[in-house]
Coordinates of all heavy atoms in Angstrom, one line a residue:
M293 N 2.5 -52.5 5.0 CA 2.3 -52.0 6.3 C 1.9 -50.5 6.3 O 2.5 -49.8 5.5 CB 3.6 -52.2 7.1 CG 3.5 -51.7 8.5 SD 5.1 -51.3 9.3 CE 5.3 -49.6 8.8
A294 N 1.0 -50.2 7.1 CA 0.6 -48.7 7.2 C 0.3 -48.4 8.6 O -0.3 -49.1 9.4 CB -0.7 -48.5 6.3
L295 N 0.9 -47.2 9.0 CA 0.7 -46.8 10.4 C -0.3 -45.6 10.4 O -0.3 -44.8 9.6 CB 2.1 -46.3 11.0 CG 3.1 -47.3 11.3 CD1 4.4 -46.6 11.8 CD2 2.6 -48.2 12.4
F296 N -1.1 -45.7 11.5 CA -2.1 -44.6 11.6 C -2.1 -44.2 13.1 O -2.1 -45.0 14.0 CB -3.5 -45.1 11.3 CG -3.7 -45.4 9.8 CD1 -3.4 -46.7 9.3 CD2 -4.1 -44.5 8.9 CE1 -3.5 -47.0 8.0 CE2 -4.3 -44.8 7.6 CZ -4.0 -46.0 7.1
H297 N -2.2 -42.9 13.3 CA -2.5 -42.3 14.6 C -4.0 -42.1 14.7 O -4.6 -41.5 13.7 CB -1.8 -40.9 14.7 CG -2.0 -40.2 16.0 ND1 -3.1 -39.4 16.2 CD2 -1.3 -40.2 17.2 CE1 -3.0 -38.9 17.5 NE2 -1.9 -39.4 18.0
V298 N -4.6 -42.5 15.8 CA -6.1 -42.4 15.9 C -6.4 -41.8 17.2 O -5.8 -42.2 18.3 CB -6.7 -43.8 15.8 CG1 -8.2 -43.7 16.0 CG2 -6.4 -44.5 14.4
R299 N -7.3 -40.8 17.2 CA -7.8 -40.3 18.5 C -9.3 -40.8 18.6 O -10.1 -40.6 17.6 CB -7.8 -38.8 18.5 CG -8.4 -38.2 19.7 CD -8.4 -36.7 19.8 NE -9.1 -36.3 21.0 CZ -8.8 -35.3 21.8 NH1 -7.7 -34.6 21.6 NH2 -9.5 -35.0 22.9
M300 N -9.6 -41.3 19.7 CA -11.0 -41.7 20.0 C -11.5 -41.0 21.2 O -10.9 -41.0 22.3 CB -11.1 -43.2 20.3 CG -10.5 -44.1 19.3 SD -10.5 -45.9 19.8 CE -9.2 -46.5 18.8
D301 N -12.6 -40.3 21.0 CA -13.3 -39.6 22.1 C -14.6 -40.4 22.3 O -15.5 -40.5 21.4 CB -13.6 -38.2 21.7 CG -12.4 -37.3 21.5 OD1 -11.6 -37.2 22.4 OD2 -12.2 -36.8 20.3
V302 N -14.8 -40.8 23.6 CA -16.0 -41.6 23.9 C -17.1 -40.8 24.6 O -16.8 -40.0 25.5 CB -15.6 -42.8 24.8 CG1 -16.8 -43.7 25.1 CG2 -14.4 -43.6 24.3
H303 N -18.3 -40.9 24.0 CA -19.4 -40.2 24.6 C -20.6 -41.2 24.8 O -21.5 -41.3 23.9 CB -19.9 -39.1 23.6 CG -18.8 -38.1 23.2 ND1 -18.3 -37.2 24.0 CD2 -18.1 -38.1 22.1 CE1 -17.3 -36.5 23.4 NE2 -17.2 -37.0 22.2
I304 N -20.5 -41.9 25.9 CA -21.6 -42.9 26.1 C -22.8 -42.1 26.7 O -22.6 -41.3 27.7 CB -21.2 -44.0 27.1 CG1 -20.0 -44.7 26.5 CG2 -22.3 -44.9 27.4 CD1 -19.4 -45.8 27.4
P305 N -24.0 -42.3 26.2 CA -25.1 -41.5 26.7 C -25.4 -41.8 28.2 O -25.3 -42.9 28.6 CB -26.3 -42.0 25.9 CG -25.7 -42.6 24.7 CD -24.4 -43.1 25.0
L306 N -25.6 -40.8 29.0 CA -25.8 -40.9 30.4 C -27.0 -41.8 30.8 O -27.0 -42.5 31.8 CB -26.0 -39.5 31.1 CG -24.8 -38.6 31.1 CD1 -25.1 -37.3 31.6 CD2 -23.6 -39.3 31.8
D307 N -28.0 -41.9 29.8 CA -29.2 -42.7 30.1 C -29.1 -44.1 29.6 O -30.0 -44.9 29.6 CB -30.4 -42.0 29.6 CG -30.4 -41.8 28.1 OD1 -29.3 -42.1 27.5 OD2 -31.4 -41.3 27.5
L308 N -27.9 -44.5 29.1 CA -27.7 -45.9 28.6 C -27.9 -46.8 29.8 O -27.3 -46.6 30.9 CB -26.4 -46.1 27.9 CG -26.1 -47.4 27.3 CD1 -27.1 -47.6 26.0 CD2 -24.7 -47.6 26.8
D309 N -28.6 -47.9 29.6 CA -28.8 -48.9 30.7 C -27.4 -49.3 31.2 O -26.5 -49.7 30.5 CB -29.5 -50.1 30.0 CG -29.7 -51.2 31.1 OD1 -28.7 -52.0 31.4 OD2 -30.8 -51.4 31.6
P310 N -27.2 -49.3 32.5 CA -25.9 -49.6 33.1 C -25.3 -51.0 32.8 O -24.1 -51.1 32.6 CB -26.1 -49.5 34.6 CG -27.4 -48.7 34.8 CD -28.2 -48.9 33.6
D311 N -26.2 -52.0 32.6 CA -25.8 -53.3 32.3 C -25.3 -53.3 30.8 O -24.2 -54.0 30.5 CB -26.9 -54.3 32.4 CG -27.2 -54.6 33.9 OD1 -26.4 -54.2 34.7 OD2 -28.3 -55.1 34.1
V312 N -26.0 -52.6 29.9 CA -25.5 -52.5 28.5 C -24.2 -51.8 28.5 O -23.3 -52.2 27.8 CB -26.6 -51.8 27.7 CG1 -26.1 -51.6 26.3 CG2 -27.9 -52.6 27.7
R313 N -24.1 -50.7 29.3 CA -22.8 -50.0 29.3 C -21.7 -50.9 29.7 O -20.6 -50.9 29.1 CB -23.0 -48.8 30.3 CG -21.7 -48.0 30.4 CD -21.8 -47.0 31.5 NE -20.5 -46.3 31.7 CZ -20.2 -45.1 31.3 NH1 -21.1 -44.3 30.8 NH2 -19.0 -44.6 31.5
A314 N -21.9 -51.6 30.8 CA -20.8 -52.4 31.4 C -20.4 -53.5 30.4 O -19.2 -53.8 30.2 CB -21.2 -53.0 32.7
E315 N -21.4 -54.1 29.8 CA -21.2 -55.2 28.8 C -20.5 -54.7 27.6 O -19.5 -55.4 27.1 CB -22.5 -55.9 28.5 CG -22.5 -57.1 27.6 CD -22.6 -56.8 26.1 OE1 -23.2 -55.7 25.8 OE2 -22.1 -57.6 25.3
T316 N -20.8 -53.5 27.1 CA -20.2 -53.0 25.9 C -18.7 -52.6 26.2 O -17.8 -52.8 25.4 CB -21.0 -51.7 25.4 OG1 -22.4 -52.1 25.3 CG2 -20.5 -51.2 24.1
V317 N -18.5 -52.0 27.4 CA -17.1 -51.6 27.7 C -16.3 -52.9 27.9 O -15.1 -52.9 27.5 CB -17.1 -50.7 29.0 CG1 -15.7 -50.6 29.6 CG2 -17.8 -49.4 28.7
A318 N -16.8 -53.9 28.5 CA -16.1 -55.2 28.6 C -15.7 -55.8 27.3 O -14.6 -56.3 27.0 CB -16.9 -56.2 29.5
R319 N -16.7 -55.7 26.3 CA -16.4 -56.3 25.0 C -15.4 -55.4 24.3 O -14.5 -55.9 23.6 CB -17.7 -56.3 24.1 CG -18.6 -57.5 24.4 CD -19.7 -57.7 23.4 NE -20.6 -56.7 23.3 CZ -20.9 -55.9 22.3 NH1 -20.2 -56.1 21.2 NH2 -21.8 -54.9 22.4
E320 N -15.5 -54.1 24.5 CA -14.5 -53.2 23.9 C -13.1 -53.6 24.4 O -12.1 -53.6 23.6 CB -14.8 -51.8 24.3 CG -13.8 -50.7 23.8 CD -14.0 -50.3 22.4 OE1 -15.1 -50.5 21.8 OE2 -13.1 -49.7 21.8
K321 N -12.9 -53.8 25.7 CA -11.6 -54.1 26.3 C -11.1 -55.4 25.7 O -9.9 -55.5 25.3 CB -11.8 -54.2 27.8 CG -10.4 -54.5 28.5 CD -10.6 -54.4 30.0 CE -9.2 -54.6 30.7 NZ -9.3 -54.3 32.1
A322 N -11.9 -56.4 25.6 CA -11.5 -57.7 25.1 C -11.1 -57.6 23.6 O -10.0 -58.1 23.2 CB -12.6 -58.7 25.2
Y323 N -11.9 -56.8 22.8 CA -11.6 -56.6 21.4 C -10.3 -55.9 21.2 O -9.4 -56.3 20.4 CB -12.7 -55.8 20.8 CG -12.7 -55.5 19.3 CD1 -12.9 -56.5 18.3 CD2 -12.4 -54.2 18.9 CE1 -12.8 -56.1 17.0 CE2 -12.3 -53.8 17.6 CZ -12.6 -54.8 16.6 OH -12.5 -54.5 15.3
S324 N -10.1 -54.8 22.0 CA -8.9 -54.0 22.0 C -7.6 -54.9 22.3 O -6.6 -54.8 21.6 CB -9.0 -52.8 22.9 OG -7.7 -52.2 23.1
Q325 N -7.8 -55.6 23.4 CA -6.6 -56.4 23.9 C -6.2 -57.5 22.9 O -5.1 -57.8 22.7 CB -6.9 -56.9 25.3 CG -6.9 -55.8 26.3 CD -7.0 -56.2 27.7 OE1 -7.5 -57.3 28.0 NE2 -6.5 -55.4 28.6
Q326 N -7.2 -58.1 22.2 CA -7.0 -59.1 21.2 C -6.2 -58.5 20.0 O -5.2 -59.0 19.5 CB -8.3 -59.6 20.7 CG -8.3 -60.6 19.5 CD -9.7 -60.6 18.8 OE1 -10.7 -60.6 19.5 NE2 -9.7 -60.8 17.5
L327 N -6.6 -57.3 19.6 CA -5.8 -56.6 18.5 C -4.4 -56.1 19.0 O -3.5 -56.2 18.2 CB -6.6 -55.4 18.0 CG -7.9 -55.7 17.2 CD1 -8.9 -54.6 17.2 CD2 -7.5 -56.2 15.8
Q328 N -4.3 -55.7 20.3 CA -3.0 -55.4 20.8 C -2.1 -56.6 20.8 O -0.9 -56.5 20.3 CB -3.1 -54.9 22.2 CG -3.8 -53.5 22.3 CD -4.0 -53.1 23.7 OE1 -3.1 -53.0 24.5 NE2 -5.2 -52.7 24.0
R329 N -2.6 -57.8 21.2 CA -1.8 -59.0 21.2 C -1.4 -59.4 19.8 O -0.3 -60.0 19.6 CB -2.5 -60.1 22.0 CG -2.6 -59.8 23.5 CD -3.1 -61.0 24.3 NE -3.2 -60.6 25.7 CZ -4.4 -60.2 26.2 NH1 -5.5 -60.3 25.6 NH2 -4.4 -59.8 27.5
A330 N -2.2 -59.1 18.8 CA -2.0 -59.5 17.5 C -1.0 -58.5 16.8 O -0.6 -58.7 15.6 CB -3.3 -59.6 16.7
G331 N -0.6 -57.4 17.5 CA 0.3 -56.5 16.9 C -0.3 -55.4 16.1 O 0.3 -54.5 15.5
K332 N -1.7 -55.4 15.9 CA -2.4 -54.5 15.1 C -2.6 -53.1 15.7 O -2.8 -52.1 15.1 CB -3.8 -55.0 14.7 CG -3.8 -56.3 13.9 CD -3.5 -56.1 12.5 CE -3.5 -57.4 11.7 NZ -3.0 -57.1 10.3
W333 N -2.6 -53.1 17.1 CA -2.9 -51.9 17.9 C -1.7 -51.8 18.9 O -1.9 -52.1 20.1 CB -4.2 -52.1 18.6 CG -4.8 -50.9 19.2 CD1 -4.2 -49.8 19.7 CD2 -6.2 -50.8 19.5 NE1 -5.1 -49.0 20.2 CE2 -6.4 -49.5 20.2 CE3 -7.3 -51.6 19.4 CZ2 -7.6 -49.1 20.6 CZ3 -8.6 -51.1 19.8 CH2 -8.7 -49.9 20.4
P334 N -0.5 -51.4 18.4 CA 0.7 -51.5 19.3 C 0.7 -50.5 20.4 O 1.5 -50.7 21.4 CB 1.9 -51.3 18.3 CG 1.3 -50.6 17.1 CD -0.1 -51.1 17.0
Q335 N 0.0 -49.4 20.3 CA 0.0 -48.4 21.4 C -1.4 -47.9 21.7 O -2.1 -47.6 20.7 CB 1.0 -47.2 21.0 CG 2.4 -47.7 20.9 CD 3.4 -46.5 21.1 OE1 3.2 -45.7 22.0 NE2 4.4 -46.5 20.3
I336 N -1.7 -47.7 23.0 CA -2.9 -47.0 23.4 C -2.6 -46.2 24.6 O -2.0 -46.7 25.6 CB -4.0 -48.0 23.6 CG1 -5.3 -47.3 24.1 CG2 -3.7 -49.1 24.6 CD1 -6.6 -48.1 24.0
W337 N -2.9 -44.9 24.6 CA -2.6 -44.0 25.6 C -3.9 -43.3 26.1 O -4.6 -42.8 25.2 CB -1.6 -43.0 25.2 CG -0.2 -43.6 24.9 CD1 0.2 -44.0 23.7 CD2 0.8 -43.8 25.8 NE1 1.5 -44.5 23.8 CE2 1.9 -44.4 25.1 CE3 1.0 -43.7 27.2 CZ2 3.1 -44.8 25.7 CZ3 2.2 -44.1 27.8 CH2 3.2 -44.6 27.0
R338 N -4.1 -43.2 27.3 CA -5.2 -42.4 27.8 C -4.8 -40.9 27.8 O -3.7 -40.6 28.1 CB -5.5 -42.8 29.3 CG -6.6 -42.0 30.0 CD -7.9 -42.2 29.3 NE -8.6 -43.4 29.6 CZ -9.4 -44.1 28.7 NH1 -9.6 -43.6 27.5 NH2 -9.9 -45.2 29.0
I339 N -5.7 -40.1 27.3 CA -5.5 -38.6 27.3 C -5.9 -38.2 28.7 O -7.1 -38.4 29.1 CB -6.3 -37.9 26.2 CG1 -5.8 -38.5 24.8 CG2 -6.1 -36.4 26.3 CD1 -6.6 -37.9 23.6
V340 N -5.0 -37.6 29.4 CA -5.2 -37.3 30.8 C -6.5 -36.4 31.0 O -6.6 -35.4 30.3 CB -4.0 -36.6 31.4 CG1 -4.3 -36.1 32.8 CG2 -2.8 -37.5 31.4
G341 N -7.3 -36.8 31.9 CA -8.5 -36.0 32.2 C -9.7 -36.1 31.2 O -10.7 -35.4 31.4
Q342 N -9.6 -37.0 30.2 CA -10.6 -37.2 29.3 C -11.0 -38.6 29.0 O -10.1 -39.5 29.2 CB -10.2 -36.5 27.9 CG -9.9 -35.1 28.0 CD -9.5 -34.5 26.7 OE1 -10.1 -34.8 25.7 NE2 -8.4 -33.7 26.7
Y343 N -12.2 -38.9 28.6 CA -12.6 -40.3 28.2 C -12.2 -40.4 26.8 O -13.1 -40.5 25.9 CB -14.0 -40.6 28.5 CG -14.4 -42.0 28.4 CD1 -15.7 -42.4 28.7 CD2 -13.5 -43.0 28.1 CE1 -16.1 -43.8 28.7 CE2 -13.9 -44.4 28.1 CZ -15.2 -44.7 28.3 OH -15.5 -46.1 28.3
S344 N -10.9 -40.4 26.5 CA -10.3 -40.3 25.1 C -9.0 -41.1 25.1 O -8.4 -41.2 26.2 CB -10.1 -38.9 24.7 OG -11.2 -38.1 24.8
N345 N -8.6 -41.5 24.0 CA -7.3 -42.1 23.8 C -6.6 -41.7 22.6 O -7.3 -41.3 21.6 CB -7.4 -43.7 24.0 CG -8.0 -44.3 22.7 OD1 -7.3 -44.4 21.7 ND2 -9.2 -44.8 22.9
F346 N -5.3 -41.8 22.6 CA -4.5 -41.7 21.4 C -4.0 -43.1 21.2 O -3.4 -43.7 22.1 CB -3.3 -40.8 21.6 CG -3.6 -39.3 21.4 CD1 -3.0 -38.4 22.4 CD2 -4.4 -38.8 20.4 CE1 -3.3 -37.1 22.3 CE2 -4.6 -37.5 20.3 CZ -4.1 -36.6 21.2
S347 N -4.1 -43.6 20.0 CA -3.6 -45.0 19.6 C -2.8 -44.9 18.4 O -3.0 -44.1 17.5 CB -4.8 -45.9 19.4 OG -5.5 -46.1 20.7
I348 N -2.0 -45.9 18.2 CA -1.2 -46.2 17.0 C -1.7 -47.6 16.5 O -1.8 -48.5 17.3 CB 0.3 -46.2 17.2 CG1 0.8 -44.9 17.7 CG2 1.0 -46.6 15.9 CD1 0.7 -43.7 16.8
F349 N -2.1 -47.6 15.2 CA -2.5 -48.9 14.6 C -1.4 -49.2 13.5 O -1.0 -48.3 12.8 CB -3.9 -48.8 13.9 CG -5.0 -48.8 14.9 CD1 -5.4 -47.7 15.6 CD2 -5.6 -50.0 15.3 CE1 -6.4 -47.7 16.6 CE2 -6.6 -50.1 16.2 CZ -7.0 -48.9 16.9
D350 N -1.1 -50.5 13.4 CA -0.1 -51.0 12.4 C -0.9 -52.0 11.6 O -1.0 -53.2 12.1 CB 1.1 -51.6 13.2 CG 2.2 -52.0 12.3 OD1 2.0 -52.1 11.1 OD2 3.3 -52.3 12.8
V351 N -1.3 -51.6 10.5 CA -2.3 -52.5 9.7 C -1.8 -52.5 8.2 O -0.9 -51.9 7.8 CB -3.7 -51.9 9.8 CG1 -4.3 -52.1 11.2 CG2 -3.8 -50.5 9.4
E352 N -2.5 -53.4 7.4 CA -2.1 -53.5 6.0 C -2.6 -52.3 5.2 O -1.9 -52.0 4.2 CB -2.7 -54.8 5.5 CG -2.1 -56.1 6.0 CD -0.6 -56.2 5.8 OE1 -0.2 -55.8 4.7 OE2 0.1 -56.6 6.7
S353 N -3.7 -51.7 5.6 CA -4.3 -50.7 4.7 C -5.3 -49.9 5.4 O -5.7 -50.3 6.5 CB -5.0 -51.5 3.5 OG -6.1 -52.2 4.1
A354 N -5.7 -48.8 4.8 CA -6.8 -48.0 5.4 C -8.1 -48.8 5.5 O -8.9 -48.6 6.4 CB -7.0 -46.8 4.5
D355 N -8.3 -49.7 4.5 CA -9.5 -50.5 4.5 C -9.5 -51.4 5.8 O -10.5 -51.6 6.4 CB -9.6 -51.4 3.3 CG -10.0 -50.7 2.1 OD1 -10.5 -49.6 2.2 OD2 -9.8 -51.2 1.0
E356 N -8.3 -52.0 6.1 CA -8.3 -52.8 7.3 C -8.5 -52.0 8.6 O -9.3 -52.4 9.5 CB -6.9 -53.5 7.5 CG -6.9 -54.5 8.7 CD -5.6 -55.2 8.9 OE1 -4.6 -54.8 8.3 OE2 -5.6 -56.1 9.7
L357 N -7.9 -50.8 8.6 CA -8.2 -49.9 9.8 C -9.7 -49.6 9.9 O -10.3 -49.6 11.0 CB -7.4 -48.7 9.7 CG -7.6 -47.7 10.9 CD1 -7.1 -48.3 12.2 CD2 -6.9 -46.4 10.7
H358 N -10.3 -49.3 8.8 CA -11.7 -48.9 8.8 C -12.5 -50.1 9.4 O -13.4 -49.9 10.2 CB -12.2 -48.6 7.4 CG -13.7 -48.2 7.4 ND1 -14.1 -47.0 7.8 CD2 -14.7 -49.0 7.1 CE1 -15.4 -47.0 7.7 NE2 -15.8 -48.2 7.3
E359 N -12.2 -51.3 8.9 CA -12.9 -52.5 9.4 C -12.8 -52.6 10.9 O -13.7 -52.9 11.7 CB -12.4 -53.7 8.7 CG -13.3 -54.8 8.5 CD -14.6 -54.5 7.9 OE1 -14.7 -53.6 7.0 OE2 -15.6 -55.1 8.3
I360 N -11.5 -52.5 11.4 CA -11.2 -52.6 12.8 C -12.0 -51.5 13.6 O -12.7 -51.8 14.6 CB -9.7 -52.4 13.1 CG1 -9.0 -53.6 12.7 CG2 -9.5 -52.1 14.6 CD1 -7.5 -53.5 12.7
L361 N -12.0 -50.3 13.2 CA -12.7 -49.2 13.9 C -14.2 -49.4 13.9 O -14.9 -49.2 14.9 CB -12.2 -47.8 13.3 CG -10.8 -47.5 13.5 CD1 -10.5 -46.1 12.8 CD2 -10.3 -47.5 14.9
F362 N -14.7 -49.7 12.7 CA -16.1 -49.9 12.5 C -16.7 -51.0 13.4 O -17.9 -50.9 13.8 CB -16.4 -50.2 11.1 CG -17.9 -50.0 10.7 CD1 -18.4 -48.7 10.5 CD2 -18.7 -51.0 10.5 CE1 -19.7 -48.5 10.2 CE2 -20.1 -50.8 10.1 CZ -20.5 -49.5 10.0
N363 N -15.8 -51.9 13.8 CA -16.3 -53.1 14.6 C -16.0 -52.8 16.1 O -16.3 -53.8 16.9 CB -15.7 -54.4 14.1 CG -16.4 -54.8 12.9 OD1 -17.5 -55.1 12.9 ND2 -15.6 -54.9 11.8
L364 N -15.5 -51.7 16.5 CA -15.3 -51.4 17.9 C -16.7 -51.4 18.6 O -17.6 -50.7 18.1 CB -14.7 -50.0 18.1 CG -13.2 -49.8 17.8 CD1 -12.9 -48.3 17.7 CD2 -12.3 -50.5 18.8
P365 N -16.8 -52.2 19.7 CA -18.2 -52.2 20.4 C -18.6 -50.8 20.8 O -19.8 -50.5 20.8 CB -17.9 -53.1 21.6 CG -16.9 -54.0 21.1 CD -15.9 -53.2 20.2
L366 N -17.7 -49.9 21.1 CA -18.1 -48.5 21.5 C -18.2 -47.6 20.3 O -18.4 -46.4 20.4 CB -17.0 -47.9 22.5 CG -17.1 -48.5 23.9 CD1 -15.9 -47.9 24.7 CD2 -18.4 -48.1 24.5
F367 N -18.0 -48.1 19.0 CA -18.0 -47.3 17.8 C -19.2 -46.3 17.8 O -19.1 -45.2 17.4 CB -17.9 -48.1 16.6 CG -17.9 -47.3 15.3 CD1 -16.8 -46.7 14.8 CD2 -19.1 -47.1 14.6 CE1 -16.8 -46.0 13.7 CE2 -19.1 -46.3 13.4 CZ -17.9 -45.8 13.0
P368 N -20.5 -46.8 18.1 CA -21.6 -45.9 18.0 C -21.5 -44.7 19.0 O -22.3 -43.8 18.8 CB -22.8 -46.8 18.4 CG -22.3 -48.2 18.3 CD -20.8 -48.2 18.5
Y369 N -20.6 -44.8 20.0 CA -20.5 -43.7 21.0 C -19.2 -43.0 20.9 O -18.8 -42.3 21.8 CB -20.7 -44.3 22.4 CG -21.8 -45.3 22.5 CD1 -21.6 -46.6 22.9 CD2 -23.1 -44.8 22.3 CE1 -22.6 -47.5 23.0 CE2 -24.2 -45.7 22.5 CZ -23.9 -47.0 22.8 OH -25.0 -47.9 22.9
M370 N -18.6 -43.1 19.7 CA -17.2 -42.5 19.6 C -17.2 -41.4 18.5 O -17.8 -41.6 17.4 CB -16.2 -43.5 19.2 CG -15.7 -44.3 20.4 SD -14.4 -45.5 19.7 CE -13.9 -46.3 21.2
D371 N -16.4 -40.4 18.7 CA -15.9 -39.6 17.6 C -14.4 -40.0 17.4 O -13.7 -40.2 18.3 CB -15.9 -38.1 18.0 CG -17.3 -37.5 18.1 OD1 -18.1 -38.0 17.4 OD2 -17.5 -36.7 19.0
I372 N -14.1 -40.3 16.1 CA -12.8 -40.9 15.8 C -12.1 -40.0 14.7 O -12.7 -39.6 13.7 CB -13.0 -42.3 15.2 CG1 -13.6 -43.2 16.3 CG2 -11.6 -42.8 14.8 CD1 -13.8 -44.6 15.8
E373 N -10.8 -39.7 15.0 CA -10.0 -38.9 14.1 C -8.8 -39.7 13.7 O -8.1 -40.2 14.6 CB -9.6 -37.6 14.7 CG -9.0 -36.6 13.8 CD -8.6 -35.3 14.6 OE1 -9.5 -34.6 15.0 OE2 -7.4 -35.2 14.9
V374 N -8.6 -39.9 12.4 CA -7.5 -40.8 11.9 C -6.5 -39.9 11.2 O -6.9 -39.1 10.3 CB -8.1 -41.8 10.9 CG1 -6.9 -42.7 10.4 CG2 -9.1 -42.7 11.7
T375 N -5.2 -40.1 11.5 CA -4.1 -39.4 10.8 C -3.2 -40.5 10.2 O -2.5 -41.2 11.0 CB -3.4 -38.5 11.7 OG1 -4.3 -37.6 12.4 CG2 -2.3 -37.7 11.0
P376 N -3.0 -40.6 8.9 CA -2.0 -41.5 8.4 C -0.6 -41.0 8.7 O -0.4 -39.8 8.6 CB -2.3 -41.5 6.8 CG -3.6 -40.8 6.7 CD -3.8 -39.9 7.8
L377 N 0.3 -41.9 9.0 CA 1.7 -41.6 9.3 C 2.6 -42.2 8.2 O 2.4 -43.3 7.7 CB 2.1 -42.1 10.7 CG 1.2 -41.7 11.8 CD1 1.6 -42.4 13.1 CD2 1.3 -40.2 12.1
T378 N 3.7 -41.4 8.0 CA 4.8 -42.0 7.2 C 6.1 -41.6 7.8 O 6.2 -40.7 8.7 CB 4.7 -41.5 5.7 OG1 5.6 -42.2 4.9 CG2 5.1 -40.0 5.6
R379 N 7.2 -42.3 7.5 CA 8.5 -42.1 8.2 C 9.0 -40.7 7.9 O 8.9 -40.1 6.8 CB 9.5 -43.1 7.7 CG 9.3 -44.5 8.2 CD 10.4 -45.4 7.8 NE 11.7 -45.0 8.5 CZ 12.0 -45.3 9.7 NH1 11.2 -46.0 10.5 NH2 13.2 -44.9 10.2
H380 N 9.6 -40.1 8.9 CA 10.2 -38.7 8.8 C 11.6 -38.9 8.2 O 12.3 -39.8 8.6 CB 10.2 -38.1 10.2 CG 10.5 -36.6 10.1 ND1 11.7 -36.1 9.7 CD2 9.7 -35.6 10.4 CE1 11.6 -34.8 9.7 NE2 10.4 -34.4 10.1
G381 N 11.9 -38.1 7.3 CA 13.2 -38.1 6.6 C 14.4 -37.9 7.6 O 15.5 -38.3 7.2
S382 N 14.2 -37.3 8.7 CA 15.3 -37.0 9.7 C 15.3 -38.1 10.7 O 16.2 -38.0 11.6 CB 15.0 -35.7 10.4 OG 15.0 -34.7 9.4
D383 N 14.5 -39.1 10.7 CA 14.5 -40.2 11.7 C 15.8 -41.0 11.6 O 16.1 -41.5 10.5 CB 13.3 -41.1 11.5 CG 13.0 -42.0 12.6 OD1 14.0 -42.3 13.4 OD2 11.9 -42.6 12.8
V384 N 16.6 -41.1 12.7 CA 17.8 -41.8 12.6 C 17.7 -43.3 12.7 O 18.7 -44.1 12.5 CB 18.8 -41.4 13.7 CG1 19.2 -39.9 13.5 CG2 18.2 -41.6 15.1
K385 N 16.5 -43.8 13.1 CA 16.3 -45.3 13.2 C 16.3 -45.9 11.7 O 15.9 -45.2 10.8 CB 15.0 -45.6 13.9 CG 15.0 -45.2 15.4 CD 13.8 -45.7 16.1 CE 12.5 -45.1 15.6 NZ 12.4 -43.7 15.7
D386 N 16.7 -47.2 11.6 CA 16.8 -47.7 10.3 C 15.5 -48.0 9.7 O 14.5 -48.0 10.2 CB 17.7 -49.0 10.3 CG 17.4 -49.9 11.4 OD1 16.2 -50.3 11.5 OD2 18.3 -50.3 12.1
Ligands
MUC147 O1 -11.4 -46.4 26.8 C1 -11.2 -46.0 25.7 O2 -10.4 -45.1 25.4 C2 -12.1 -46.5 24.5 C3 -11.7 -47.9 24.1 C4 -10.5 -48.1 23.5 C5 -10.0 -49.3 24.0 C6 -10.8 -49.7 25.1 O3 -10.7 -50.6 25.8 O4 -11.8 -48.8 25.2

């Protein structure tokens, strides 16, 4: 198991065809929700005031995360920053 913190900043071009935009955003939502239900994407938070999110991914490996991110329908329009996480030595949870 490997946990990653991911920031996604979305920059859809203003001149993208509105139908293509709507269809891509709908596919992104379905893809994201499928991964959330599967437990791979346990948290997603909107960053207030921005078309951006902070997410936590719970995956087997960096390779799996890369595959997930690379297949995001909005991937061509995103800047993505990935931070690997490990347990803090002071964490009281087991
Ligand atoms: O809206 C976003 O933050 C981008 C992306 C991530 C999940 C989703 O449904 O859209």
Side-chain angles (χ1 to χ4, degrees):
M293 179 204 88
L295 287 175
F296 293 88
H297 178 276
V298 177
R299 176 179 177 139
M300 303 177 203
D301 297 301
V302 185
H303 307 285
I304 301 176
L306 292 175
D307 61 355
L308 187 67
D309 180 281
D311 290 343
V312 173
R313 180 192 172 106
E315 186 267 337
T316 307
V317 169
R319 278 195 295 121
E320 176 85 16
K321 183 172 183 174
Y323 179 75
S324 165
Q325 291 186 335
Q326 173 199 327
L327 288 161
Q328 289 174 55
R329 291 190 183 100
K332 300 278 182 191
W333 191 337
Q335 295 205 40
I336 179 168
W337 294 94
R338 178 63 76 214
I339 301 176
V340 174
Q342 300 180 44
Y343 194 177
S344 305
N345 73 72
F346 282 135
S347 290
I348 299 293
F349 284 86
D350 184 347
V351 290
E352 291 302 319
S353 63
D355 284 346
E356 184 182 9
L357 179 64
H358 180 78
E359 208 53 35
I360 287 171
L361 298 177
F362 197 74
N363 285 297
L364 288 165
L366 286 175
F367 181 83
Y369 312 118
M370 279 182 177
D371 291 325
I372 299 178
E373 188 180 289
V374 176
T375 307
L377 302 175
T378 192
R379 287 186 63 82
H380 195 291
S382 300
D383 191 340
V384 295
K385 292 188 295 302
D386 46 50

